[in-house]
Amino acid sequence: MQKSDVLIIGGGVIGAACADELAGRGVSVTLIDKGKIGHGCSYGNAGWICPCHAMPLPMPGALVQAGRWLGDPESPFYIKPRASWELVRWLLAFASNTTERHLARAGPVIADLARHSLGLFAQFAATDGASADYRSNGLLVVCSSARTLEGARHEMEIAERFGGRGQVLDAEGVSDLEPAVRGSVVGGIFYEDEASADPLRMVQALARRAESRGACVLPGAEVISLDVDGTRIRSVATTRGTLHADQVVLAAGS
Ligand SMILES: Cc1cc2nc3c(=O)[nH]c(=O)nc-3n(C[C@H](O)[C@H](O)[C@H](O)COP(=O)(O)OP(=O)(O)OC[C@H]3O[C@@H](n4cnc5c(N)ncnc54)[C@H](O)[C@@H]3O)c2cc1C
């Protein structure tokens, strides 16, 4: 039976980054994943590292959008309808947080965290993460109708309240910046401070560095059950054996 200070369940970007940071601080870490490292949600995302888009989901006006998305299986906010008090409670809490007060409280915290995270990604890419195709060349949001441009401008104004920097472009400005954009474009927003990376390669690079710092990385180890004693997890049974740790980080995705 293996024992470490910290056991991290889930080798996506969250688990790999936790493992890397903890191992760098001299903590003994085991990182496990039921499949390959980085092949969950962190595999198939767009790779944007964008503080300007890191705003709380519940914000003023979000209820109308959420209402449209909730029942659409193709939307980014679909929730399978089911009779569950837990779901009702969650939806009520979401609705009660779509206020200006909540945005004013949560916005600066999330924006600071996202900017700090961007700085860490840049630092990592300049050293051990060179293979992750990190690019610090901004984010261009392209809009094909006046309505979407208005929505994008509104998002930009919210981001600017919390220190973001965006620039509204007309169709010509978009095409000057990115001649490859074709079709009916009415304009866009350019966020010059944003970055992007290859998400899978970034996670793999983080896990590699964690390993080089002494972490034990175990792919193909699916958690089957937890042996719980009150509020403590005594051990974790996996398909690769039982693991013990003083602390367990659950980073198994949503
Ligand atoms: C279409 C799309 C585009 C996106 N674009 C962006 C973007 O551009 N920028 C951005 O910042 N975010 C983006 N996101 C969000 C981002 O991908 C997620 O927030 C992020 O990947 C979550 O990382 P994670 O480590 O929490 O989860 P995951 O990457 O899902 O990792 C969780 C891991 O846990 C493992 N696991 C689950 N259950 C068990 C178990 N029982 N035992 C062991 N292991 C287990 C899984 O195999 C998986 O590898 C996007 C999401 C989507 C869907």
Side-chain angles (χ1 to χ4, degrees), residues 9-16 32-50 203 221-224 251-254:
I9 301 172
V13 68
I14 302 296
I32 64 170
D33 198 287
K34 65 180 177 184
K36 292 185 196 165
I37 296 297
H39 280 68
C41 196
S42 302
Y43 173 86
N45 70 45
W48 294 357
I49 306 170
C50 292
V203 177
E222 179 167 9
V223 172
I224 305 162
S254 53

Short mmCIF file of all heavy atoms in Angstrom, two decimals, residues 9-16 32-50 203 221-224 251-254, ligand 1:
data_model
loop_
_atom_site.label_atom_id
_atom_site.label_comp_id
_atom_site.label_asym_id
_atom_site.label_seq_id
_atom_site.Cartn_x
_atom_site.Cartn_y
_atom_site.Cartn_z
N ILE A 9 -6.76 13.14 -6.96
CA ILE A 9 -7.58 12.30 -7.84
C ILE A 9 -7.95 13.13 -9.06
O ILE A 9 -8.69 14.11 -8.96
CB ILE A 9 -8.86 11.83 -7.12
CG1 ILE A 9 -8.49 11.04 -5.86
CG2 ILE A 9 -9.73 10.99 -8.05
CD1 ILE A 9 -9.69 10.70 -4.97
N GLY A 10 -7.43 12.76 -10.23
CA GLY A 10 -7.76 13.48 -11.47
C GLY A 10 -6.55 14.17 -12.05
O GLY A 10 -6.00 15.10 -11.46
N GLY A 11 -6.13 13.71 -13.23
CA GLY A 11 -4.95 14.27 -13.88
C GLY A 11 -5.31 15.20 -15.02
O GLY A 11 -4.76 15.11 -16.11
N GLY A 12 -6.25 16.12 -14.76
CA GLY A 12 -6.52 17.20 -15.72
C GLY A 12 -5.64 18.38 -15.35
O GLY A 12 -4.69 18.25 -14.58
N VAL A 13 -5.98 19.56 -15.90
CA VAL A 13 -5.13 20.72 -15.65
C VAL A 13 -5.10 21.08 -14.16
O VAL A 13 -4.06 21.48 -13.62
CB VAL A 13 -5.55 21.93 -16.53
CG1 VAL A 13 -6.91 22.49 -16.13
CG2 VAL A 13 -4.50 23.02 -16.48
N ILE A 14 -6.24 20.88 -13.48
CA ILE A 14 -6.28 21.24 -12.05
C ILE A 14 -5.39 20.30 -11.24
O ILE A 14 -4.53 20.74 -10.47
CB ILE A 14 -7.73 21.19 -11.51
CG1 ILE A 14 -8.64 22.13 -12.30
CG2 ILE A 14 -7.78 21.50 -10.02
CD1 ILE A 14 -8.32 23.59 -12.21
N GLY A 15 -5.58 18.98 -11.45
CA GLY A 15 -4.79 18.01 -10.69
C GLY A 15 -3.31 18.11 -11.00
O GLY A 15 -2.47 18.07 -10.09
N ALA A 16 -2.97 18.26 -12.29
CA ALA A 16 -1.55 18.31 -12.67
C ALA A 16 -0.88 19.56 -12.10
O ALA A 16 0.26 19.51 -11.63
CB ALA A 16 -1.42 18.27 -14.20
N ILE A 32 -3.27 10.57 -9.55
CA ILE A 32 -3.82 9.42 -10.27
C ILE A 32 -4.91 9.86 -11.25
O ILE A 32 -5.55 10.89 -11.07
CB ILE A 32 -4.42 8.36 -9.30
CG1 ILE A 32 -5.61 8.93 -8.53
CG2 ILE A 32 -3.38 7.82 -8.36
CD1 ILE A 32 -6.38 7.87 -7.75
N ASP A 33 -5.08 9.06 -12.29
CA ASP A 33 -6.19 9.30 -13.22
C ASP A 33 -6.72 7.95 -13.70
O ASP A 33 -5.95 7.00 -13.86
CB ASP A 33 -5.73 10.12 -14.43
CG ASP A 33 -6.92 10.74 -15.15
OD1 ASP A 33 -7.68 10.01 -15.83
OD2 ASP A 33 -7.13 11.97 -15.00
N LYS A 34 -8.01 7.91 -13.95
CA LYS A 34 -8.59 6.63 -14.41
C LYS A 34 -8.13 6.30 -15.83
O LYS A 34 -8.11 5.15 -16.24
CB LYS A 34 -10.11 6.65 -14.32
CG LYS A 34 -10.79 7.63 -15.24
CD LYS A 34 -12.30 7.55 -15.07
CE LYS A 34 -12.99 8.58 -15.94
NZ LYS A 34 -14.42 8.62 -15.75
N GLY A 35 -7.78 7.32 -16.59
CA GLY A 35 -7.30 7.09 -17.95
C GLY A 35 -5.90 7.64 -18.11
O GLY A 35 -5.07 7.54 -17.21
N LYS A 36 -5.67 8.26 -19.29
CA LYS A 36 -4.36 8.88 -19.50
C LYS A 36 -4.38 10.28 -18.90
O LYS A 36 -5.43 10.93 -18.86
CB LYS A 36 -4.09 9.01 -21.00
CG LYS A 36 -3.89 7.71 -21.71
CD LYS A 36 -3.51 8.05 -23.15
CE LYS A 36 -3.64 6.87 -24.07
NZ LYS A 36 -3.63 7.25 -25.48
N ILE A 37 -3.21 10.77 -18.52
CA ILE A 37 -3.12 12.13 -17.97
C ILE A 37 -3.54 13.14 -19.05
O ILE A 37 -3.07 13.08 -20.19
CB ILE A 37 -1.66 12.42 -17.51
CG1 ILE A 37 -1.27 11.49 -16.36
CG2 ILE A 37 -1.49 13.89 -17.13
CD1 ILE A 37 -2.06 11.64 -15.09
N GLY A 38 -4.46 14.04 -18.67
CA GLY A 38 -4.85 15.13 -19.57
C GLY A 38 -5.88 14.77 -20.62
O GLY A 38 -6.13 15.56 -21.52
N HIS A 39 -6.51 13.60 -20.51
CA HIS A 39 -7.46 13.20 -21.55
C HIS A 39 -8.93 13.38 -21.14
O HIS A 39 -9.82 12.82 -21.76
CB HIS A 39 -7.19 11.77 -22.00
CG HIS A 39 -6.03 11.70 -22.97
ND1 HIS A 39 -4.74 11.97 -22.59
CD2 HIS A 39 -5.99 11.45 -24.30
CE1 HIS A 39 -3.95 11.86 -23.64
NE2 HIS A 39 -4.68 11.55 -24.70
N GLY A 40 -9.18 14.17 -20.09
CA GLY A 40 -10.56 14.50 -19.72
C GLY A 40 -10.95 15.80 -20.41
O GLY A 40 -10.60 16.04 -21.57
N CYS A 41 -11.65 16.66 -19.68
CA CYS A 41 -12.09 17.94 -20.26
C CYS A 41 -10.89 18.78 -20.70
O CYS A 41 -10.97 19.53 -21.68
CB CYS A 41 -12.91 18.69 -19.21
SG CYS A 41 -13.89 20.01 -19.88
N SER A 42 -9.77 18.62 -20.00
CA SER A 42 -8.59 19.43 -20.32
C SER A 42 -7.99 19.08 -21.68
O SER A 42 -7.12 19.78 -22.18
CB SER A 42 -7.52 19.24 -19.23
OG SER A 42 -8.04 19.59 -17.98
N TYR A 43 -8.45 18.01 -22.28
CA TYR A 43 -7.95 17.59 -23.60
C TYR A 43 -8.63 18.37 -24.71
O TYR A 43 -7.99 18.81 -25.66
CB TYR A 43 -8.23 16.10 -23.78
CG TYR A 43 -7.92 15.55 -25.14
CD1 TYR A 43 -6.64 15.12 -25.44
CD2 TYR A 43 -8.91 15.43 -26.10
CE1 TYR A 43 -6.34 14.60 -26.68
CE2 TYR A 43 -8.62 14.92 -27.35
CZ TYR A 43 -7.35 14.50 -27.64
OH TYR A 43 -7.07 13.99 -28.87
N GLY A 44 -9.95 18.54 -24.56
CA GLY A 44 -10.72 19.04 -25.70
C GLY A 44 -11.14 20.48 -25.60
O GLY A 44 -12.11 20.87 -26.23
N ASN A 45 -10.45 21.29 -24.79
CA ASN A 45 -10.91 22.68 -24.72
C ASN A 45 -10.17 23.56 -25.73
O ASN A 45 -9.33 23.09 -26.48
CB ASN A 45 -10.84 23.22 -23.28
CG ASN A 45 -9.43 23.40 -22.81
OD1 ASN A 45 -8.59 23.93 -23.51
ND2 ASN A 45 -9.17 22.97 -21.59
N ALA A 46 -10.51 24.86 -25.72
CA ALA A 46 -9.97 25.75 -26.75
C ALA A 46 -8.56 26.26 -26.43
O ALA A 46 -7.93 26.89 -27.27
CB ALA A 46 -10.92 26.93 -26.95
N GLY A 47 -8.11 26.01 -25.21
CA GLY A 47 -6.75 26.43 -24.85
C GLY A 47 -6.60 27.92 -24.60
O GLY A 47 -5.49 28.43 -24.54
N TRP A 48 -7.70 28.61 -24.42
CA TRP A 48 -7.61 30.04 -24.13
C TRP A 48 -7.19 30.23 -22.68
O TRP A 48 -7.76 29.59 -21.78
CB TRP A 48 -8.96 30.74 -24.28
CG TRP A 48 -9.53 30.79 -25.65
CD1 TRP A 48 -8.96 30.33 -26.79
CD2 TRP A 48 -10.80 31.33 -26.01
NE1 TRP A 48 -9.80 30.55 -27.85
CE2 TRP A 48 -10.93 31.16 -27.40
CE3 TRP A 48 -11.83 31.92 -25.30
CZ2 TRP A 48 -12.07 31.58 -28.09
CZ3 TRP A 48 -12.96 32.34 -25.98
CH2 TRP A 48 -13.07 32.17 -27.37
N ILE A 49 -6.26 31.12 -22.45
CA ILE A 49 -5.91 31.49 -21.07
C ILE A 49 -6.27 32.97 -20.98
O ILE A 49 -5.49 33.84 -21.32
CB ILE A 49 -4.42 31.24 -20.80
CG1 ILE A 49 -4.08 29.78 -21.14
CG2 ILE A 49 -4.08 31.54 -19.34
CD1 ILE A 49 -2.61 29.47 -21.15
N CYS A 50 -7.52 33.20 -20.59
CA CYS A 50 -8.12 34.51 -20.81
C CYS A 50 -8.76 35.11 -19.56
O CYS A 50 -9.95 34.88 -19.30
CB CYS A 50 -9.19 34.38 -21.89
SG CYS A 50 -8.47 34.03 -23.47
N VAL A 203 -0.96 20.20 -19.99
CA VAL A 203 -1.20 19.31 -18.84
C VAL A 203 -0.09 18.26 -18.75
O VAL A 203 0.43 17.97 -17.67
CB VAL A 203 -2.59 18.63 -18.95
CG1 VAL A 203 -2.80 17.65 -17.81
CG2 VAL A 203 -3.69 19.66 -18.95
N ALA A 221 -5.51 4.49 -13.04
CA ALA A 221 -5.88 4.13 -11.66
C ALA A 221 -7.21 4.78 -11.34
O ALA A 221 -7.28 5.95 -10.97
CB ALA A 221 -4.80 4.59 -10.68
N GLU A 222 -8.28 4.02 -11.52
CA GLU A 222 -9.61 4.58 -11.28
C GLU A 222 -10.01 4.40 -9.82
O GLU A 222 -9.85 3.31 -9.26
CB GLU A 222 -10.63 3.88 -12.19
CG GLU A 222 -12.04 4.42 -11.95
CD GLU A 222 -13.03 4.00 -13.02
OE1 GLU A 222 -12.66 3.15 -13.86
OE2 GLU A 222 -14.15 4.52 -13.00
N VAL A 223 -10.55 5.46 -9.24
CA VAL A 223 -11.03 5.36 -7.86
C VAL A 223 -12.32 4.55 -7.85
O VAL A 223 -13.26 4.86 -8.59
CB VAL A 223 -11.27 6.76 -7.25
CG1 VAL A 223 -11.95 6.64 -5.89
CG2 VAL A 223 -9.96 7.51 -7.13
N ILE A 224 -12.34 3.52 -7.01
CA ILE A 224 -13.53 2.67 -6.93
C ILE A 224 -14.33 3.03 -5.68
O ILE A 224 -15.54 3.12 -5.70
CB ILE A 224 -13.13 1.18 -6.85
CG1 ILE A 224 -12.24 0.81 -8.04
CG2 ILE A 224 -14.35 0.29 -6.81
CD1 ILE A 224 -11.48 -0.48 -7.82
N ALA A 251 -9.91 16.31 -7.80
CA ALA A 251 -9.82 17.14 -9.02
C ALA A 251 -10.29 16.30 -10.20
O ALA A 251 -9.67 16.27 -11.26
CB ALA A 251 -8.38 17.62 -9.21
N ALA A 252 -11.43 15.60 -9.97
CA ALA A 252 -11.90 14.63 -10.97
C ALA A 252 -12.82 15.26 -12.01
O ALA A 252 -13.51 14.55 -12.73
CB ALA A 252 -12.60 13.48 -10.26
N GLY A 253 -12.85 16.58 -12.08
CA GLY A 253 -13.67 17.24 -13.10
C GLY A 253 -15.12 17.32 -12.66
O GLY A 253 -15.48 16.93 -11.55
N SER A 254 -15.95 17.83 -13.57
CA SER A 254 -17.36 18.02 -13.17
C SER A 254 -18.19 16.89 -13.75
O SER A 254 -17.76 16.14 -14.58
CB SER A 254 -17.85 19.36 -13.68
OG SER A 254 -17.61 19.45 -15.06
C1 LIG B 1 -15.75 22.84 -25.33
C2 LIG B 1 -14.97 23.42 -24.15
C3 LIG B 1 -14.06 24.44 -24.37
C4 LIG B 1 -13.38 24.99 -23.29
N1 LIG B 1 -12.46 25.97 -23.52
C5 LIG B 1 -11.74 26.47 -22.50
C6 LIG B 1 -10.73 27.44 -22.73
O1 LIG B 1 -10.49 27.85 -23.86
N2 LIG B 1 -10.03 27.91 -21.67
C7 LIG B 1 -10.27 27.46 -20.38
O2 LIG B 1 -9.60 27.93 -19.44
N3 LIG B 1 -11.22 26.52 -20.13
C8 LIG B 1 -11.94 26.02 -21.15
N4 LIG B 1 -12.88 25.05 -20.91
C9 LIG B 1 -13.04 24.57 -19.53
C10 LIG B 1 -11.86 23.64 -19.17
O3 LIG B 1 -11.66 22.67 -20.17
C11 LIG B 1 -12.15 22.94 -17.83
O4 LIG B 1 -12.51 23.90 -16.85
C12 LIG B 1 -10.90 22.21 -17.34
O5 LIG B 1 -10.36 21.36 -18.32
C13 LIG B 1 -11.27 21.39 -16.11
O6 LIG B 1 -10.10 20.74 -15.70
P1 LIG B 1 -10.17 19.66 -14.56
O7 LIG B 1 -8.78 19.27 -14.25
O8 LIG B 1 -11.03 20.17 -13.44
O9 LIG B 1 -11.03 18.46 -15.20
P2 LIG B 1 -10.61 17.34 -16.28
O10 LIG B 1 -9.66 17.85 -17.29
O11 LIG B 1 -11.88 16.74 -16.76
O12 LIG B 1 -9.80 16.29 -15.42
C14 LIG B 1 -10.43 15.44 -14.50
C15 LIG B 1 -9.74 14.10 -14.60
O13 LIG B 1 -10.27 13.27 -13.56
C16 LIG B 1 -10.27 11.95 -14.04
N5 LIG B 1 -11.23 11.17 -13.26
C17 LIG B 1 -12.57 11.30 -13.21
N6 LIG B 1 -13.12 10.37 -12.39
C18 LIG B 1 -12.08 9.65 -11.90
C19 LIG B 1 -12.00 8.54 -11.01
N7 LIG B 1 -13.09 7.95 -10.47
N8 LIG B 1 -10.77 8.04 -10.73
C20 LIG B 1 -9.65 8.59 -11.26
N9 LIG B 1 -9.68 9.63 -12.12
C21 LIG B 1 -10.88 10.16 -12.43
C22 LIG B 1 -10.68 12.06 -15.51
O14 LIG B 1 -10.23 10.95 -16.26
C23 LIG B 1 -10.00 13.37 -15.92
O15 LIG B 1 -8.77 13.17 -16.62
C24 LIG B 1 -13.59 24.50 -21.97
C25 LIG B 1 -14.50 23.45 -21.77
C26 LIG B 1 -15.17 22.91 -22.85
C27 LIG B 1 -16.13 21.77 -22.60
#
